[in-house]
Amino acid sequence: MAKVAERASLDADEALRATEAVLETLAERIAGGEVDDLIPRLPLAVHGLLRRGRATSGGTARRIPLDRFVDRIAELAGVDPFEAREYARAVFATLREAVRDDEYFDVTVQLPMDYHALLPER
């Protein structure tokens, strides 16, 4: 959470809310097996929301346009879409550091090319 807070210039509560909104939305979007692979690599505090996101999608990867993805983050976090994009950038950058390269690749390869605007550069 500290890295998300630093990257997005948020306080601790905002960083938690940002992380929860992005990861839950991501878990709604990607395959359930990938969510299961992420869970043991991330802090216990986010396991429940990852499972909730997986349950929402039924464990099936869903195609969601980028704008809808951002809108869902904004809805969950209670912020505007501009802030939601910044949240997503900060959380994806932190996720990239938190999991192995192969796991990060397995998650992000499921996202359409327009989502790459939210992903960190190598």
Side-chain angles (χ1 to χ4, degrees):
M1 299 309 158
K3 290 195 180 239
V4 171
E6 180 182 324
R7 284 188 166 101
S9 300
L10 303 172
D11 66 31
D13 290 338
E14 291 169 324
L16 177 60
R17 189 171 63 239
T19 301
E20 289 175 342
V22 173
L23 291 180
E24 183 172 346
T25 304
L26 180 64
E28 292 171 356
R29 168 66 185 81
I30 63 175
E34 289 309 321
V35 174
D36 292 339
D37 290 346
L38 282 177
I39 287 173
R41 292 173 175 81
L42 296 175
L44 186 59
V46 299
H47 291 187
L49 64 97
L50 287 167
R51 288 185 183 105
R52 186 170 56 237
R54 181 188 58 208
T56 298
S57 70
T60 303
R62 299 185 306 161
R63 293 197 66 81
I64 302 171
L66 177 60
D67 288 341
R68 176 66 187 114
F69 183 80
V70 171
D71 288 346
R72 177 71 174 143
I73 294 167
E75 175 188 329
L76 289 173
V79 298
D80 65 48
F82 177 79
E83 288 176 286
R85 282 181 182 271
E86 294 307 309
Y87 285 8
R89 286 185 184 102
V91 172
F92 276 118
T94 304
L95 181 65
R96 180 163 177 55
E97 291 176 356
V99 300
R100 294 186 327 253
D101 284 344
D102 59 334
E103 189 58 43
Y104 183 78
F105 174 80
D106 289 349
V107 168
T108 58
V109 75
Q110 295 183 45
L111 304 175
M113 288 301 294
D114 58 344
Y115 279 54
H116 289 231
L118 304 176
L119 304 179
E121 297 291 322
R122 274 199 143 272

